[in-house]
């Protein structure tokens, strides 16, 4: 989606059932405006995207349940293809960056690191906020595919973001409990992996006790007809506020 299309989608999104300060943060982020320092961060993120788009090494595809038939070699995929299929795009990336800038969270959790685009975006926003005298925010991001996680780790290190964003490798079901025990409370959560209805509900219910008051949870993949949309709709009934932004479903908990 282009920046222009996303800006108009976000301008008309109904935010009336989001409580403050989440509503104002989403409103500000939705303008997709960057000051000169923020534009510098975006250039670094664009360069990172270009490096990913040029990676032609093949890595194993990790399967989270369907399994490979006996004797079949696990499938492989080029990293450039992984990037193209799964990474957060530039327009939504600018929205995430703006949201993290506006909210000034201390603890951010991401489910689904992939190659690190979302984590780097969020980490850069937190670094920029700290450089301006704001809180020292940190990201913890979970990824089940070791080869993807390794690319993310290396890339975050190259961008000087290793201290800012920690990549945890393992299936969410295995890695999430320890992260929730040891690293919360979280102010901002981005659930961008395992796009199934029951899974999304389970993760949000597991994360709920580890949220700070007023925390914002973003569920990716909630377009009409998608399984996560059904999860978001039922979770929205239990939450203290919600909004639908087309691709992202938001939930706020007090
Ligand atoms: C859409 S991508 C994430 C994109 C990333 N958040 C970004 O902003 O660029 C989803 C990732 O979640 C991982 N994933 C999916 N299901 C998982 C599970 N059950 N446990 C761990 N990782 C999982 C996949 O390997 C994939 O890399």
């Amino acid at each position: 989606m282009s920046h222009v299309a996303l800006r108009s989608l976000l301008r008309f999104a109904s935010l009336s059932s989001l409580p403050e300060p989440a509503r104002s943060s989403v409103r500000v982020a939705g303008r997709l405006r960057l000051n000169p320092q923020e534009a510098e961060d975006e250039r670094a993120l664009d360069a990172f995207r270009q490096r990913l788009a040029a990676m032609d090494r093949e890595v194993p595809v990790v399967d989270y349940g369907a399994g490979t038939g006996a004797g079949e070699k696990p499938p492989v995929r080029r990293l450039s293809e992984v990037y193209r299929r799964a990474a957060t795009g530039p327009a939504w990336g600018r929205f995430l960056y703006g949201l993290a800038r506006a909210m000034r969270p201390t603890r951010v959790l991401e489910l689904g690191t992939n190659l690190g685009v979302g984590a780097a975006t969020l980490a850069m926003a937190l670094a920029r906020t700290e450089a301006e005298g704001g809180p020292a925010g940190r990201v913890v991001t979970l990824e089940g595919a070791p080869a993807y996680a390794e690319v993310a780790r290396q890339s975050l290190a190259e961008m000087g973001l290793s201290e800012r964003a920690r990549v945890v490798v393992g299936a969410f079901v295995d890695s999430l409990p320890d992260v929730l025990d040891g690293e919360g409370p979280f102010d901002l959560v981005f659930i961008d992996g395992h796009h199934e209805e029951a899974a999304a509900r389970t993760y949000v219910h597991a994360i709920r006790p580890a949220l700070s008051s007023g925390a914002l949870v973003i569920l990716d993949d909630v377009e009409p007809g998608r399984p996560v949309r059904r999860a978001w709709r039922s979770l929205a009934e239990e939450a203290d506020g919600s909004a639908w932004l087309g691709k992202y479903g938001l939930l706020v908990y007090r």
Side-chain angles (χ1 to χ4, degrees):
M1 178 176 282
S2 71
H3 288 82
V4 173
L6 180 57
R7 194 177 294 118
S8 57
L9 184 154
L10 295 173
R11 184 177 308 140
F12 295 109
S14 169
L15 305 182
S16 55
S17 40
L18 278 184
E20 291 292 359
R23 190 193 309 175
S24 297
S25 297
V26 173
R27 206 41 95 208
V28 168
R31 293 187 195 127
L32 303 184
R33 273 202 211 114
L34 301 176
N35 68 31
Q37 289 74 33
E38 293 169 338
E40 200 178 298
D41 289 345
E42 191 169 81
R43 281 193 289 280
L45 290 165
D46 286 344
F48 172 35
R49 287 172 185 286
Q50 280 168 21
R51 290 195 293 279
L52 294 175
M55 284 184 182
D56 56 8
R57 182 160 57 90
E58 288 185 329
V59 296
V61 174
V62 172
D63 154 45
Y64 300 102
T68 307
E72 275 179 39
K73 269 177 63 180
V76 292
R77 189 167 289 153
R78 275 184 205 285
L79 286 169
S80 54
E81 176 73 0
V82 172
Y83 162 71
R84 199 182 57 71
R85 285 186 189 217
T88 295
W92 283 107
R94 194 186 284 184
F95 172 73
L96 284 181
Y97 178 96
L99 198 53
R101 290 281 287 148
M103 288 181 65
R104 297 159 67 93
T106 304
R107 306 296 303 169
V108 178
L109 170 65
E110 179 186 47
L111 268 63
T113 315
N114 193 246
L115 304 178
V117 172
T121 301
L122 293 163
M124 276 207 188
L126 302 187
R128 182 62 63 193
T129 299
E130 189 180 354
E132 293 170 349
R138 295 284 181 276
V139 180
V140 57
T141 177
L142 279 46
E143 173 55 53
Y148 300 175
E150 193 44 40
V151 172
R153 261 195 199 130
Q154 274 181 16
S155 306
L156 288 162
E158 282 164 21
M159 289 183 276
L161 295 169
S162 314
E163 302 292 309
R164 187 75 55 184
R166 191 167 85 82
V167 183
V168 178
V169 187
F172 300 150
V173 68
D174 300 323
S175 58
L176 190 56
D178 280 353
V179 167
L180 293 176
D181 264 3
E183 307 203 29
F186 294 99
D187 312 304
L188 177 61
V189 178
F190 180 33
I191 302 183
D192 188 16
H194 199 170
H195 299 293
E196 288 172 16
E197 181 179 354
R201 247 199 300 264
T202 302
Y203 297 139
V204 173
H205 285 152
I207 290 165
R208 173 80 187 85
L211 294 176
S212 61
S213 172
L216 179 70
V217 176
I218 306 170
L219 276 177
D220 181 68
D221 216 22
V222 298
E223 292 94 340
R226 311 288 293 203
V228 183
R229 181 168 169 81
R230 293 194 290 277
W232 170 75
R233 287 176 76 104
S234 65
L235 289 162
E237 284 171 23
E238 308 162 5
D240 298 300
S242 63
W244 182 57
L245 307 181
K247 177 175 166 59
Y248 292 163
L250 309 184
L251 302 164
V252 172
Y253 294 91
R254 287 215 174 94

